Amino acid sequence: MNLDAAIAISGDSKLRSVTFDGSLLTLHLENFDDEHILIQTKVSALISDRSECRVCHLGWDDLSELDTQHGIWVPPRDFGKLMQQVRKGRQLAFGRRRSPSSGLLCVVGECCLLAFVESREQVIVLFGDAAVRQLGQM
């Protein structure tokens, strides 16, 4: 399963656990069909507004709306646009090298967790029995 498939089936999920060791983020969700989804990825930066989250869904922000200078994502000069970007958590990308595969992995709902991922291809997604087996090894 890939990240797009996990996003598609993550509506009304329960966030069961989040672990972050400074570089590796692990998310365990249980969707509306009681199927387990496990996401693991290296992240460069993380923002979380609270630890408890009953209902949520996954998302991906490809950061395509951000301005760049010399291949680096930069904040907009206009204060209003800057505030719009900050409300979306995109300040995590400012000052980092632009890459077409970089983006924000988002957990959105009663909580908000945003993680800057250098490469979408680094995101490992396990579903169902494979996720349960991996969780048993952790």
Side-chain angles (χ1 to χ4, degrees):
M1 173 178 282
N2 64 25
L3 182 57
D4 290 328
I7 290 169
I9 65 166
S10 71
D12 294 334
S13 290
K14 298 172 189 167
L15 183 61
R16 293 294 184 196
S17 67
V18 176
T19 58
F20 181 62
D21 70 0
S23 65
L24 182 67
L25 174 67
T26 303
L27 303 171
H28 172 210
L29 292 91
E30 188 175 335
N31 74 1
F32 54 90
D33 287 331
D34 297 326
E35 294 286 345
H36 295 269
I37 304 167
L38 186 69
I39 309 269
Q40 289 184 315
T41 188
K42 290 189 176 198
V43 300
S44 302
L46 179 73
I47 296 175
S48 178
D49 69 350
R50 58 158 76 145
S51 60
E52 188 177 317
C53 187
R54 289 178 289 234
V55 180
C56 63
H57 66 273
L58 293 171
W60 179 262
D61 183 347
D62 66 8
L63 305 172
S64 60
E65 296 175 10
L66 289 184
D67 296 331
T68 59
Q69 273 187 329
H70 308 292
I72 304 292
W73 278 307
V74 295
R77 294 180 187 266
D78 178 75
F79 180 75
K81 289 181 181 178
L82 173 63
M83 289 295 91
Q84 289 173 355
Q85 300 295 354
V86 168
R87 280 188 210 100
K88 294 177 182 178
R90 293 177 173 165
Q91 73 274 15
L92 292 176
F94 298 157
R96 299 180 189 277
R97 183 151 309 279
R98 184 189 178 284
S99 165
S101 63
S102 295
L104 293 179
L105 178 62
C106 312
V107 177
V108 183
E110 297 172 321
C111 63
C112 180
L113 183 142
L114 301 170
F116 182 81
V117 178
E118 296 283 342
S119 173
R120 188 179 173 116
E121 290 78 33
Q122 292 178 344
V123 180
I124 298 168
V125 180
L126 298 174
F127 181 73
D129 292 339
V132 173
R133 281 193 300 277
Q134 181 68 24
L135 286 165
Q137 295 175 6
M138 296 173 79

